[in-house]
Amino acid sequence: LPEEMFKKLNDQKTFGAGMMSCRQLLFGMMDLELHSNYDPDGDETIFDVQRRMAAIYTPYALPVEEDRFLCGFSHIFAGGYSAGYYSYKWAEVMSADAFGAFEDVGLDNEEGVREVGRKFRETVLSLGGGVSPSEVFEQFRGRGPSPEALLRHNGLA
């Protein structure tokens, strides 16, 4: 494959990553808003909430008046994710940050990777659900999760 074509293909792998992240943030925050603050007896409809949240997270793609996406967004109404859709993006943050530990020691550094792998096994894999996820992550990374690695992996930082 010619180098120029490889570069073009490589550059495209992060195309739209920012918009996709904003879309996922919209879904998560809209879910939390609907399950935490929405008053079905109030003046605002669920579609008003959708438009209000879209104005914050995806102002470049506001829903049209006839949009009824929420009627089919079964994840948050029928799929067991009530007020939990944000976990998709949070899992991406934690996954990228965990992989960042391996990047930090250098992926070509076999001994460093082995050491980080041992620590991953002794914390994340061994502790599992017996300890809160935030505590497990902190034991592995020595700090709380950071979105920096995810932003970097998505070409946004």
Side-chain angles (χ1 to χ4, degrees):
L1 188 63
E3 184 65 30
E4 184 180 331
M5 187 176 286
F6 175 77
K7 185 178 178 344
K8 283 182 181 181
L9 288 171
N10 203 35
D11 289 346
Q12 291 178 14
K13 75 179 180 183
T14 57
F15 178 79
M19 292 195 320
M20 182 58 80
S21 290
C22 287
R23 182 175 183 262
Q24 290 300 114
L25 290 172
L26 167 64
F27 292 170
M29 294 308 291
M30 187 167 44
D31 176 31
L32 288 172
E33 183 70 13
L34 287 169
H35 285 94
S36 303
N37 300 317
Y38 175 68
D39 178 5
D41 297 322
D43 294 332
E44 195 176 42
T45 70
I46 60 171
F47 307 112
D48 294 332
V49 172
Q50 178 187 8
R51 283 188 287 280
R52 180 167 49 83
M53 300 307 289
I56 297 168
Y57 294 97
T58 58
Y60 53 85
L62 298 174
V64 296
E65 188 62 35
E66 299 80 13
D67 186 302
R68 294 299 180 257
F69 164 76
L70 285 175
C71 293
F73 194 17
S74 61
H75 277 68
I76 67 172
F77 295 116
Y81 280 90
S82 303
Y85 192 89
Y86 72 92
S87 64
Y88 279 120
K89 188 54 71 181
W90 192 237
E92 286 183 46
V93 167
M94 293 181 81
S95 171
D97 199 7
F99 183 70
F102 293 90
E103 293 175 314
D104 289 349
V105 298
L107 298 176
D108 293 330
N109 174 354
E110 288 186 35
E111 185 52 41
V113 167
R114 195 173 293 115
E115 170 102 13
V116 172
R118 261 189 237 106
K119 189 171 185 181
F120 184 80
R121 183 179 61 218
E122 292 167 3
T123 55
V124 177
L125 298 179
S126 295
L127 298 174
V131 178
S132 78
S134 57
E135 201 175 314
V136 170
F137 191 89
E138 232 171 270
Q139 285 184 35
F140 173 59
R141 280 300 256 154
R143 58 166 175 72
S146 167
E148 294 304 314
L150 179 62
L151 293 171
R152 189 177 67 253
H153 294 169
N154 286 339
L156 300 173

Short mmCIF file of all heavy atoms in Angstrom, two decimals, residues 50-77:
data_model
loop_
_atom_site.label_atom_id
_atom_site.label_comp_id
_atom_site.label_asym_id
_atom_site.label_seq_id
_atom_site.Cartn_x
_atom_site.Cartn_y
_atom_site.Cartn_z
N GLN A 50 -35.58 16.40 25.20
CA GLN A 50 -34.68 15.98 24.13
C GLN A 50 -34.08 17.19 23.41
O GLN A 50 -32.87 17.26 23.19
CB GLN A 50 -35.40 15.08 23.13
CG GLN A 50 -34.54 14.65 21.97
CD GLN A 50 -35.31 13.89 20.90
OE1 GLN A 50 -36.55 13.81 20.94
NE2 GLN A 50 -34.59 13.34 19.95
N ARG A 51 -34.93 18.15 23.05
CA ARG A 51 -34.43 19.34 22.34
C ARG A 51 -33.51 20.17 23.23
O ARG A 51 -32.48 20.67 22.78
CB ARG A 51 -35.61 20.18 21.83
CG ARG A 51 -36.25 19.59 20.59
CD ARG A 51 -37.29 20.53 19.97
NE ARG A 51 -38.52 20.61 20.77
CZ ARG A 51 -39.50 19.70 20.73
NH1 ARG A 51 -39.39 18.66 19.93
NH2 ARG A 51 -40.57 19.83 21.48
N ARG A 52 -33.87 20.31 24.52
CA ARG A 52 -33.05 21.09 25.45
C ARG A 52 -31.67 20.45 25.61
O ARG A 52 -30.64 21.13 25.59
CB ARG A 52 -33.77 21.19 26.80
CG ARG A 52 -33.00 21.97 27.85
CD ARG A 52 -33.87 22.33 29.05
NE ARG A 52 -34.62 21.25 29.63
CZ ARG A 52 -34.14 20.36 30.51
NH1 ARG A 52 -32.87 20.40 30.87
NH2 ARG A 52 -34.92 19.43 31.02
N MET A 53 -31.63 19.14 25.76
CA MET A 53 -30.35 18.44 25.94
C MET A 53 -29.54 18.46 24.63
O MET A 53 -28.33 18.61 24.66
CB MET A 53 -30.58 17.01 26.42
CG MET A 53 -31.32 16.90 27.76
SD MET A 53 -30.59 17.86 29.10
CE MET A 53 -29.13 16.92 29.41
N ALA A 54 -30.22 18.31 23.50
CA ALA A 54 -29.52 18.35 22.21
C ALA A 54 -28.87 19.71 21.99
O ALA A 54 -27.78 19.79 21.42
CB ALA A 54 -30.49 18.02 21.08
N ALA A 55 -29.52 20.76 22.45
CA ALA A 55 -28.95 22.11 22.29
C ALA A 55 -27.63 22.23 23.03
O ALA A 55 -26.74 22.99 22.63
CB ALA A 55 -29.95 23.16 22.79
N ILE A 56 -27.45 21.45 24.08
CA ILE A 56 -26.21 21.47 24.86
C ILE A 56 -25.15 20.56 24.24
O ILE A 56 -24.00 20.96 24.08
CB ILE A 56 -26.48 21.03 26.31
CG1 ILE A 56 -27.43 22.01 27.00
CG2 ILE A 56 -25.17 20.88 27.09
CD1 ILE A 56 -27.99 21.51 28.32
N TYR A 57 -25.53 19.33 23.90
CA TYR A 57 -24.55 18.31 23.51
C TYR A 57 -24.37 18.12 22.01
O TYR A 57 -23.31 17.68 21.58
CB TYR A 57 -24.90 16.97 24.17
CG TYR A 57 -24.74 17.05 25.66
CD1 TYR A 57 -25.83 17.30 26.49
CD2 TYR A 57 -23.49 16.96 26.24
CE1 TYR A 57 -25.67 17.42 27.85
CE2 TYR A 57 -23.32 17.09 27.61
CZ TYR A 57 -24.42 17.33 28.41
OH TYR A 57 -24.25 17.46 29.76
N THR A 58 -25.40 18.40 21.23
CA THR A 58 -25.29 18.27 19.77
C THR A 58 -25.97 19.45 19.07
O THR A 58 -26.89 19.27 18.29
CB THR A 58 -25.91 16.94 19.28
OG1 THR A 58 -27.28 16.90 19.69
CG2 THR A 58 -25.16 15.73 19.80
N PRO A 59 -25.50 20.66 19.34
CA PRO A 59 -26.15 21.83 18.74
C PRO A 59 -26.07 21.85 17.21
O PRO A 59 -26.83 22.56 16.56
CB PRO A 59 -25.41 23.02 19.36
CG PRO A 59 -24.10 22.46 19.81
CD PRO A 59 -24.36 21.02 20.17
N TYR A 60 -25.19 21.05 16.65
CA TYR A 60 -25.04 20.96 15.20
C TYR A 60 -26.08 20.03 14.58
O TYR A 60 -26.19 19.94 13.36
CB TYR A 60 -23.63 20.45 14.85
CG TYR A 60 -23.29 19.17 15.56
CD1 TYR A 60 -23.67 17.94 15.06
CD2 TYR A 60 -22.61 19.20 16.78
CE1 TYR A 60 -23.41 16.77 15.74
CE2 TYR A 60 -22.34 18.03 17.46
CZ TYR A 60 -22.74 16.82 16.93
OH TYR A 60 -22.48 15.66 17.61
N ALA A 61 -26.85 19.31 15.39
CA ALA A 61 -27.84 18.35 14.87
C ALA A 61 -29.08 18.34 15.77
O ALA A 61 -29.39 17.35 16.41
CB ALA A 61 -27.23 16.96 14.80
N LEU A 62 -29.75 19.46 15.82
CA LEU A 62 -30.94 19.56 16.66
C LEU A 62 -32.08 18.74 16.06
O LEU A 62 -32.24 18.69 14.84
CB LEU A 62 -31.36 21.02 16.79
CG LEU A 62 -30.34 21.94 17.47
CD1 LEU A 62 -30.81 23.38 17.42
CD2 LEU A 62 -30.10 21.50 18.91
N PRO A 63 -32.88 18.10 16.91
CA PRO A 63 -34.00 17.30 16.40
C PRO A 63 -35.07 18.22 15.79
O PRO A 63 -35.33 19.30 16.29
CB PRO A 63 -34.53 16.58 17.64
CG PRO A 63 -33.98 17.30 18.81
CD PRO A 63 -32.76 18.03 18.37
N VAL A 64 -35.68 17.74 14.72
CA VAL A 64 -36.78 18.50 14.12
C VAL A 64 -38.03 18.30 14.98
O VAL A 64 -38.11 17.37 15.80
CB VAL A 64 -37.04 18.05 12.66
CG1 VAL A 64 -35.84 18.36 11.78
CG2 VAL A 64 -37.40 16.58 12.59
N GLU A 65 -39.01 19.15 14.80
CA GLU A 65 -40.24 19.10 15.60
C GLU A 65 -40.90 17.72 15.59
O GLU A 65 -41.43 17.26 16.58
CB GLU A 65 -41.22 20.16 15.10
CG GLU A 65 -42.44 20.33 15.98
CD GLU A 65 -42.13 20.80 17.40
OE1 GLU A 65 -41.18 21.58 17.60
OE2 GLU A 65 -42.84 20.34 18.32
N GLU A 66 -40.85 17.04 14.44
CA GLU A 66 -41.51 15.74 14.29
C GLU A 66 -40.68 14.56 14.83
O GLU A 66 -41.15 13.43 14.83
CB GLU A 66 -41.81 15.47 12.81
CG GLU A 66 -42.74 16.46 12.16
CD GLU A 66 -42.05 17.77 11.75
OE1 GLU A 66 -40.79 17.84 11.74
OE2 GLU A 66 -42.76 18.74 11.46
N ASP A 67 -39.47 14.83 15.29
CA ASP A 67 -38.58 13.77 15.76
C ASP A 67 -39.21 13.02 16.93
O ASP A 67 -39.66 13.62 17.91
CB ASP A 67 -37.25 14.38 16.20
CG ASP A 67 -36.21 13.34 16.59
OD1 ASP A 67 -36.49 12.54 17.48
OD2 ASP A 67 -35.13 13.34 15.99
N ARG A 68 -39.24 11.71 16.83
CA ARG A 68 -39.78 10.87 17.91
C ARG A 68 -38.79 9.76 18.27
O ARG A 68 -39.17 8.66 18.66
CB ARG A 68 -41.14 10.27 17.51
CG ARG A 68 -42.24 11.31 17.35
CD ARG A 68 -42.48 12.05 18.67
NE ARG A 68 -43.51 13.06 18.60
CZ ARG A 68 -43.28 14.37 18.53
NH1 ARG A 68 -42.05 14.82 18.50
NH2 ARG A 68 -44.28 15.22 18.51
N PHE A 69 -37.51 10.08 18.18
CA PHE A 69 -36.45 9.13 18.51
C PHE A 69 -36.68 8.48 19.88
O PHE A 69 -36.48 7.28 20.06
CB PHE A 69 -35.09 9.84 18.48
CG PHE A 69 -33.99 9.09 19.16
CD1 PHE A 69 -33.41 7.99 18.55
CD2 PHE A 69 -33.54 9.46 20.42
CE1 PHE A 69 -32.40 7.28 19.17
CE2 PHE A 69 -32.53 8.76 21.05
CZ PHE A 69 -31.97 7.67 20.42
N LEU A 70 -37.09 9.28 20.84
CA LEU A 70 -37.26 8.75 22.20
C LEU A 70 -38.26 7.62 22.27
O LEU A 70 -38.16 6.74 23.13
CB LEU A 70 -37.69 9.87 23.15
CG LEU A 70 -36.58 10.84 23.55
CD1 LEU A 70 -37.13 11.98 24.39
CD2 LEU A 70 -35.47 10.12 24.29
N CYS A 71 -39.22 7.59 21.37
CA CYS A 71 -40.22 6.51 21.37
C CYS A 71 -39.58 5.15 21.08
O CYS A 71 -40.13 4.11 21.45
CB CYS A 71 -41.31 6.80 20.34
SG CYS A 71 -42.32 8.22 20.78
N GLY A 72 -38.46 5.16 20.41
CA GLY A 72 -37.78 3.91 20.07
C GLY A 72 -36.47 3.70 20.81
O GLY A 72 -35.76 2.74 20.55
N PHE A 73 -36.15 4.60 21.74
CA PHE A 73 -34.88 4.51 22.48
C PHE A 73 -35.08 3.52 23.63
O PHE A 73 -35.07 3.87 24.80
CB PHE A 73 -34.49 5.89 22.98
CG PHE A 73 -33.07 6.02 23.48
CD1 PHE A 73 -32.09 5.08 23.17
CD2 PHE A 73 -32.71 7.10 24.24
CE1 PHE A 73 -30.79 5.22 23.62
CE2 PHE A 73 -31.41 7.25 24.71
CZ PHE A 73 -30.46 6.31 24.40
N SER A 74 -35.23 2.27 23.26
CA SER A 74 -35.61 1.23 24.22
C SER A 74 -34.56 0.99 25.29
O SER A 74 -34.88 0.50 26.37
CB SER A 74 -35.95 -0.07 23.50
OG SER A 74 -34.82 -0.53 22.78
N HIS A 75 -33.29 1.33 25.03
CA HIS A 75 -32.26 1.13 26.05
C HIS A 75 -32.67 1.76 27.38
O HIS A 75 -32.47 1.17 28.43
CB HIS A 75 -30.94 1.79 25.62
CG HIS A 75 -30.12 0.97 24.70
ND1 HIS A 75 -30.50 0.71 23.42
CD2 HIS A 75 -28.92 0.38 24.87
CE1 HIS A 75 -29.56 -0.02 22.83
NE2 HIS A 75 -28.60 -0.23 23.70
N ILE A 76 -33.20 2.97 27.31
CA ILE A 76 -33.46 3.68 28.57
C ILE A 76 -34.88 3.48 29.09
O ILE A 76 -35.16 3.87 30.22
CB ILE A 76 -33.13 5.19 28.45
CG1 ILE A 76 -34.06 5.91 27.49
CG2 ILE A 76 -31.68 5.37 28.05
CD1 ILE A 76 -33.90 7.42 27.49
N PHE A 77 -35.77 2.91 28.28
CA PHE A 77 -37.14 2.73 28.75
C PHE A 77 -37.52 1.26 28.91
O PHE A 77 -38.35 0.93 29.73
CB PHE A 77 -38.13 3.41 27.81
CG PHE A 77 -37.98 4.90 27.78
CD1 PHE A 77 -37.60 5.55 26.63
CD2 PHE A 77 -38.19 5.66 28.93
CE1 PHE A 77 -37.44 6.92 26.61
CE2 PHE A 77 -38.03 7.03 28.92
CZ PHE A 77 -37.66 7.67 27.76
#
